[in-house]
Amino acid sequence: MWTAAEGSPVVVLPGLVQAASVVAARLAGLASDLSFVAFELPGMGGSADAACASLDEVIASVQGGIDAAGLKGAPVLAFDLAAPIAQGLAGPKLFLGAGQARAWAARKPNIGDLSPRADGTHLTALFAHLRDCHVLDARTGRRASREGEPLPTPTELDAALLAASARPQSYASLWSMCCEGMRTVEGDGTAGIDAALAQLRTMPRFDPASASQSTSGPGIMRSYVQTRRGRVHVRMSGPDQSPLIALHSAPGSAAPLTPLLTGLGKSRRVIAPDFIGNGDSGKVDAPVDIATLAQDALEVADALGLQRFDLWGTHTGALIAMEAAIIAPERVGRVILEAPPLLAPAFTADLLANYFPPLVPDGWGLYLQQAWNMRRDIFLFWPWYRAKRSAARPLDVPDAAFLHDWTIGLLASGATYHRSYRAAFDYDTRARMPLLARPAFVCAGPADMLADGLQVARSLLAGEAVVSPTPATVWYPGQGADAIEATIGMYERFLQT
């Protein structure tokens, strides 16, 4: 759900070819006297895991979200193929682009099989589908249209791709259901966005009900908290006790930490934020260091009302966890540091020079293959850009679904993906590690390319520190269930000591 501007609230269903964030921001720029609340549709973006089996289920899911936000009965502004969803909702409705959507539905464009493919070309196919929906005449699908809204920028297309590709098969199913549902939608809707806004202003002002939102429940929950540097996306699991903040590896998001969230979440509250500049958190295009990222983590704890907590971090996240424990030892209980980078200076310099190619959205989706193959080669070579026999890693290539999630996590970080990565390689781990005064467990799985750093860590740590290998790196692919369970057990025993 994306909210923009202030004033009388309007529920916005952004359709199937634009991102909710882009639509909300555009509407806010056109009408600051209205408040726009754009909901991501089931099967897309942050609602991807709420995919539905029928259009009726989609309508019920969207209505449930609107009700939970205290907006039942508010006017609904629906774009393109969201029209049949809006038709089943409470409150007055306005449709934008319904004629175009009806033309799509009548022509039945072949969206194809969007299941993740080993070569990543499903992302290219999805990008082409989204671009064609904007560029081509909806009735024929054969020539560029001279009518309609301005064409989206590469950045706006990228945002649409990220929303649709969160679960691409769910998006394809939603597309089919909404195309079928267009048969029940009458008329072509409002002629243009300016006319729609004018109509909204003539409607009676809607007074929103107070919304109570629960942060408890089974499974992994997703939410946002506000810090001084920006909005932070967090995943949470487990009962509301013994909190632990889990910090992911750069440059993607905390999504790969699902095994940790579910494993440790059986007995404690686990909170896994996306770093600012990464994943679904806010983007700040400015240099950042580990101390700043550690302060961000402490502010996440503040926003969630956590006075004292344990920390777990892997790779870049291990450095952030360590720094947070150094600068705020009174707030931190125990610390698990998985594979903190402890590399030779010459190797670090090589990484800083070569590890971070720019990933810039373009009008044809070329950057998607670059991102996919970069993520794939991370499992083949260390470092990924050194494609030599001597640099081969002892890992299997992950399956396409895993690579898809990893690539989307990287793409969601956008142009700022490298900031936290660079911060890790710039951080003086050898100088900071001896300052860690909290009880620490430093570990690494056998397949981790940073496992050699354990020997260095032993020479740097003092006090209540344990350095030991673990059976698995739980967020890596191809780790056996028994090894993951044993590793989670080692974490739990250390935290309970």
Side-chain angles (χ1 to χ4, degrees), residues 252-287:
S253 71
L257 299 187
T258 295
L260 186 84
L261 284 156
T262 56
L264 288 180
K266 294 176 182 177
S267 60
R268 64 182 66 242
R269 173 57 55 91
V270 183
I271 302 107
D274 295 347
F275 308 144
I276 291 178
N278 291 115
D280 290 323
S281 289
K283 307 301 186 285
V284 179
D285 192 11

Side-chain angles (χ1 to χ4, degrees), residues 4 60 64 83 123 143 169 278 287 318 385 415-416 452:
L123 292 178
R143 65 180 60 177
Q169 300 103 311
N278 291 115
Y385 55 84
T416 61
D452 290 346

Side-chain angles (χ1 to χ4, degrees), residues 249-251 314-316 338-344 347 351 355 374-375 377-384 391-395 406 421 425 443-454 473 475-477 479:
S249 172
T314 184
H315 294 207
T316 301
E338 183 182 66
L342 285 159
L343 304 171
F347 188 25
L351 292 168
Y355 210 85
M374 175 182 166
R375 289 307 251 173
D377 280 9
I378 281 176
F379 294 96
L380 297 177
F381 305 104
W382 170 243
W384 69 266
R393 298 184 66 188
L395 294 173
W406 266 52
Y421 238 158
F425 294 133
C443 58
D448 200 308
M449 70 277 204
L450 300 177
D452 290 346
L454 293 186
T473 300
W475 53 279
Y476 268 24
Q479 308 292 286

Side-chain angles (χ1 to χ4, degrees), residues 22-322:
V22 171
V23 172
R26 184 183 177 209
L27 290 171
L30 294 172
S32 59
D33 56 318
L34 298 170
S35 176
F36 300 98
V37 185
F39 286 80
E40 292 184 300
L41 301 177
M44 296 183 66
S47 300
D49 291 332
C52 301
S54 69
L55 187 60
D56 286 342
E57 287 186 18
V58 172
I59 294 169
S61 178
V62 173
Q63 187 67 67
I66 292 171
D67 294 351
L71 295 172
K72 183 176 182 179
V76 178
L77 178 61
F79 287 74
D80 58 75
L81 284 171
I85 301 173
Q87 196 165 239
L89 302 177
K93 298 101 178 171
L94 292 177
F95 302 149
L96 273 173
Q100 179 185 45
R102 182 175 290 102
W104 291 337
R107 187 165 47 85
K108 296 182 179 178
N110 181 17
I111 197 170
D113 180 10
L114 295 180
S115 300
R117 305 169 196 166
D119 59 4
T121 54
H122 64 289
L123 292 178
T124 305
L126 178 55
F127 186 93
H129 159 75
L130 293 168
R131 183 173 186 266
D132 284 351
C133 284
H134 290 282
V135 171
L136 300 181
D137 177 76
R139 293 161 294 183
T140 67
R142 298 295 299 274
R143 65 180 60 177
S145 175
R146 291 181 174 272
E147 301 174 350
E149 299 294 330
L151 293 176
T153 66
T155 300
E156 291 169 342
L157 271 176
D158 176 65
L161 176 103
L162 290 173
S165 64
R167 292 289 179 269
Q169 300 103 311
S170 298
Y171 171 81
S173 176
L174 182 65
W175 177 274
S176 296
M177 287 187 286
C178 289
C179 280
E180 183 67 22
M182 285 303 301
R183 295 182 179 183
T184 67
V185 177
E186 298 180 357
D188 291 342
T190 305
I193 197 165
D194 291 336
L197 294 175
Q199 283 186 253
L200 287 169
R201 291 188 178 100
T202 66
M203 293 181 180
R205 181 182 178 87
F206 176 80
D207 293 322
S210 60
S212 60
Q213 297 180 347
S214 173
T215 58
S216 63
I220 296 174
M221 300 159 285
R222 298 172 66 170
S223 186
Y224 288 91
V225 298
Q226 189 67 37
T227 68
R228 283 179 294 178
R229 282 210 316 131
R231 193 172 75 154
V232 176
H233 175 258
V234 296
R235 291 171 171 84
M236 293 184 286
S237 68
D240 194 11
Q241 63 188 34
S242 306
L244 176 141
I245 296 177
L247 302 168
H248 63 87
S249 172
S253 71
L257 299 187
T258 295
L260 186 84
L261 284 156
T262 56
L264 288 180
K266 294 176 182 177
S267 60
R268 64 182 66 242
R269 173 57 55 91
V270 183
I271 302 107
D274 295 347
F275 308 144
I276 291 178
N278 291 115
D280 290 323
S281 289
K283 307 301 186 285
V284 179
D285 192 11
V288 68
D289 56 20
I290 293 296
T292 302
L293 293 168
Q295 187 60 47
D296 290 343
L298 295 172
E299 291 189 20
V300 168
D302 292 340
L304 294 173
L306 306 180
Q307 296 302 312
R308 190 171 175 84
F309 46 86
D310 297 320
L311 286 165
W312 181 97
T314 184
H315 294 207
T316 301
L319 303 184
I320 299 169
M322 184 173 73

